[in-house]
Amino acid sequence: MPRDPLPTLQSTFGFPDFRGVQRQVVDRVLAGANTLAVMPTGAGKSLCYQLPSVVLDGTCVVVSPLIALMHDQLRAAEAIGIRAATLTSVDTNQAETIARFRAGELDLLYVAPERASGGGFRDMLGQARLSLFAIDEAHCVSEWGHDFRPDYRLLRPLLDAFGHVPRLALTATADAHTRADILDQLGIPHEGLIVAGFDRPNIRYLISPKDNVARQIADLIAEQPGPGIVYAQTRAATEKLAEQLGRTGRPTRAYHAGLDPAVRARNQADFVASEDMVICATVAFGMGIDKPDVRFVAHAGLPKSIESFYQETGRAGRDGDPSVAHLFWGAEDFAKARQRIGEVEPARQPGERTRLNALGALVETAGCRRSILLKHFGEAPPEKCGNCDNCLNPPGALANATEVARKFLSAVFRTGQSFGVGYIESILTGQSSERSLMNGHEALSVFGIVSDAEEVALIKPTARALLLRDALRANDFGGLEFGPAAKAILKGESEVALIIPPKRERRRGKGTVGAPNPIGDPLFEALRNCRRELAKEAQVPPYVIFHDSVLREMAQLRPANRDALSRITGVGTRKLEAYGDAFLAVIRQGS
C-alpha cells in the first residue's frame, strides 16, 4: 500500500494540498505505474517527481536536456531539504556524487540524455536502489515535437533494463500526435496519459504588427516592472535590441550561442538572480532556466510554430502571478519562413506549411487569441477568455481591402515583380522620384491609381496581408513576386478582408497586468528586501528563498510566531528553520 504523500507535501514543500492533476500523477507514480503527464508550465510538474523521490526508497533519476536547467532545479530542491545532485560535464565533484549515489544518500540525481543513454551510466545505476525515472521535457523524444533531441530516442534501452522502476515523462507542449509518439518511444501504455490542459489564465496574450519594434518593446518594458525575456531571431538582433532597450534605464543583457561562454553564463546568472532585468535572447534561452517570476515575454519576430510560441511564452508567470506575452510580427517574417520551408526536405514541407498557416491564423484573428491556442492543442475553450488583446479591446470593423489588394498586385506585376513594398506604394500613390522616372513607371496605368485617403491608409496592411496569405513572396533581393494565392485575388475569386486594430495608447509605468505589490504595502517591500539580503548571503536567486506570493501572504496575515508562519502556503519545514526568524523579525518591525 503506497504511503500517503500529503504529509510530505505539507512538511517538505509547504503546500496544504495538491493542485490540478498533481495528485493523480503522484498516486500513479507511487503505485509503480508508468505515466506521461502533459501539464502547462507553472502547474508544478517538478513536484510530481520530487515528492515521490522523498517518499520512496532509492534514488529518482531525472533526465533533463540542459545543464543550466538542472542546476536551477538542484538549488530549488536543496533549499527545501531534498538530497539532490547533478552529474554533468561541468561538475567537478562527480566522484563524490557517484559515491553518494552508491551509498543511497541521494533522493534526486539529474543527468543529461547523452550521459543517461551510455552503457557506463547503466552499469552505475545497477549498483544502488532506484525509485523512479523522470524524463523531463519529454517532447524532445519525438520527431513530431518542436525540440527534437536524438539522444532522447536512446533512453528506451536504459528504461527497459530497469523495467521494475516506474517511469514518468513530463512535458508542457505536446499535441495529440506528439503525445502518442512519446508514449510509444518511452514504453508507456496509452492509459498512462494524463493531460492537465494547456490554459495559462494568468498570461495576457497580445499580438501587434511591427512598427518600430524596438520602440514598441521599450513601451512594454516601461509598463512591466519585473524581469522579462525578449526573443529575437538572430544573434545580431539580440545585441542590437539589448543596446537599444538598455537606454530605457532597465538593466539589459544579450544571450546567444555566439557569445563567449563565460559572458553567456554570467548574463544568464545575472538575469536569474535579478528582480527587474530584461534579457534579449535567441530561442535557445529559456528552456535552461527555472525562473518563476518572469513578468513578460516579448517576441520581436515570428516564432517557429504555435508549439514554440506556447512554450516560449510559457516562461512568463510560472509563479502564477499576472504576466504578459506580446508577439510583434511582420509580413517579412512570414515571407522568410516560407523561404526556409522551401529549403527543407520535401517530406517535411507540408507539415511546416501547416504550422506556418496556424501561426497566420493566430496573428490575423479578430477573435480570442487564447481560444485559437487552446483549440490547436485539441481543447474546447470558451469563445472569449477576457485576458487577450482582442477580448479586452475588440478590433474595429473588418475593412474590405480586395480592390486595394488587386491594385497592389497589378502594380507588382507591371513593375516586373522586382520592387519592395515602399516603392510599390509610391507608384500606387503617384509619388514621382528619380527612380520611377528612370524606370519609366510613371507611364504605367497603375501610377497614382490610389488617391482616396482611406485606400491609401490600407496599402501597408494590405501588403502585409498579401505576404501573410502567400499571395506575395519576397525574393532574395527584397523585391515582391507573386505567390500561389495571387491569381484568385486578381480574378475576383478571393476577397481580402482586413482587421482594423484599435489604437493603443502608450502608457508608461502603469503595469498592464498588476505589479508584485498591488496595494503598495510597505511591509511587502520590507519582506522583499529581507529576501534579497538572504538570497545574496546564500548565493541563490531571491525566488529560491520564497516566491512573491508567499511574501504577499505574510504581509497580509502578519504571522506572529513560527507556528503561524508555518501555515503560510510555500513555507515548509526546512525553509521555516532557515529563514523563519528573519522574516518574523521584519513582520514585528512593520506591525
Side-chain angles (χ1 to χ4, degrees), residues 153-175:
R153 289 281 216 204
L154 305 176
L155 293 174
R156 181 68 180 274
L158 171 70
L159 302 176
D160 289 348
F162 298 91
H164 62 287
V165 178
R167 57 195 77 167
L168 169 64
L170 301 130
T171 181
T173 44
D175 58 18

Side-chain angles (χ1 to χ4, degrees), residues 200-255:
R200 296 286 309 283
N202 63 311
I203 295 180
R204 178 171 297 173
Y205 294 105
L206 311 169
I207 298 180
S208 308
K210 287 182 192 174
D211 178 19
N212 188 340
V213 72
R215 177 188 58 76
Q216 288 173 301
I217 296 175
D219 287 348
L220 174 65
I221 287 172
E223 295 171 358
Q224 305 302 332
I229 303 172
V230 177
Y231 284 116
Q233 293 170 309
T234 65
R235 296 175 182 183
T238 66
E239 296 192 15
K240 185 177 180 182
L241 268 173
E243 180 187 352
Q244 291 171 315
L245 298 177
R247 296 174 198 151
T248 65
R250 287 283 279 280
T252 310
R253 301 279 191 281
Y255 183 99

Side-chain angles (χ1 to χ4, degrees), residues 71 146 189 209 295 333 371 373 376 433 457 530 544:
H71 286 163
H146 61 284
R295 294 276 67 87
D333 295 330
S371 178
L373 269 179
H376 180 83
S433 66
C530 174
V544 170

